[in-house]
Amino acid sequence: MIVVGFMLRSDHLGVTSVIRDLSLSGRCYEPLLHFFRSSAWSLPSLRQMWLQVVRRSAPLLVIQERVVLVGDGMKEAKEGRRMPGVKKLHQESENVSKGEYIFRHLFGAIGILVGIPENGSVALVHESARRHPNHPRLEANRR
């Protein structure tokens, strides 16, 4: 139920969004909070279950016997230099008014292409999105 609630919610205000959009009783608030603190599940196991559902129920786009994955990255600007996970990145803009280096979080996402290209119907199924942790090689460059 919570996964469906996250897929259907109309805003990003947390558990209250799920309760409101699924028309649940206010008494569900505390039990839903306990879901997030539970040790009965883990994010890696939830991801594996999601991938199994996608593999069973969606026509995966396969080219040369390989499933097609699509990835993308995003940089989110941060003001603080001493925040966990903030990296000093080279500015890719040609605008001279911007500094050569910026401080940002770096996010990456990956998805699986599903559908039948012959019919012109291909869609992306989200698989994972994460903030990239500090990498030792990147840390060495900061010093």
Side-chain angles (χ1 to χ4, degrees):
M1 175 179 65
I2 192 76
V3 174
V4 172
F6 274 116
M7 292 192 307
L8 297 177
R9 66 189 178 151
S10 59
D11 54 40
H12 297 282
L13 299 177
V15 172
T16 55
S17 301
V18 173
I19 291 172
R20 184 175 42 257
D21 290 340
L22 293 180
S23 300
L24 299 174
S25 166
R27 293 179 302 190
C28 294
Y29 184 79
E30 289 291 326
L32 286 176
L33 286 181
H34 291 296
F35 169 82
F36 293 102
R37 296 184 183 113
S38 173
S39 61
W41 65 275
S42 68
L43 191 54
S45 65
L46 196 58
R47 276 187 59 225
Q48 286 301 318
M49 290 171 53
W50 172 246
L51 288 174
Q52 289 173 6
V53 167
V54 170
R55 286 185 195 133
R56 279 195 314 257
S57 60
L60 302 180
L61 181 61
V62 178
I63 296 177
Q64 296 179 357
E65 300 180 14
R66 295 177 189 237
V67 174
V68 179
L69 302 176
V70 177
D72 195 9
M74 178 183 81
K75 298 172 187 169
E76 182 180 332
K78 295 293 177 185
E79 294 294 325
R81 296 175 186 220
R82 303 276 183 220
M83 294 173 62
V86 172
K87 295 176 179 62
K88 182 179 178 181
L89 302 170
H90 186 265
Q91 179 67 277
E92 297 161 357
S93 174
E94 294 180 9
N95 186 341
V96 294
S97 66
K98 294 182 180 178
E100 184 178 357
Y101 290 95
I102 51 178
F103 293 90
R104 295 190 170 192
H105 278 145
L106 184 60
F107 292 89
I110 191 165
I112 303 169
L113 285 182
V114 298
I116 304 168
E118 293 82 19
N119 296 347
S121 61
V122 176
L124 178 71
V125 176
H126 174 74
E127 194 278 316
S128 178
R130 297 182 191 166
R131 181 178 60 89
H132 289 274
N134 289 342
H135 190 275
R137 193 177 73 209
L138 294 173
E139 286 299 308
N141 291 340
R142 290 178 87 180
R143 294 185 186 119

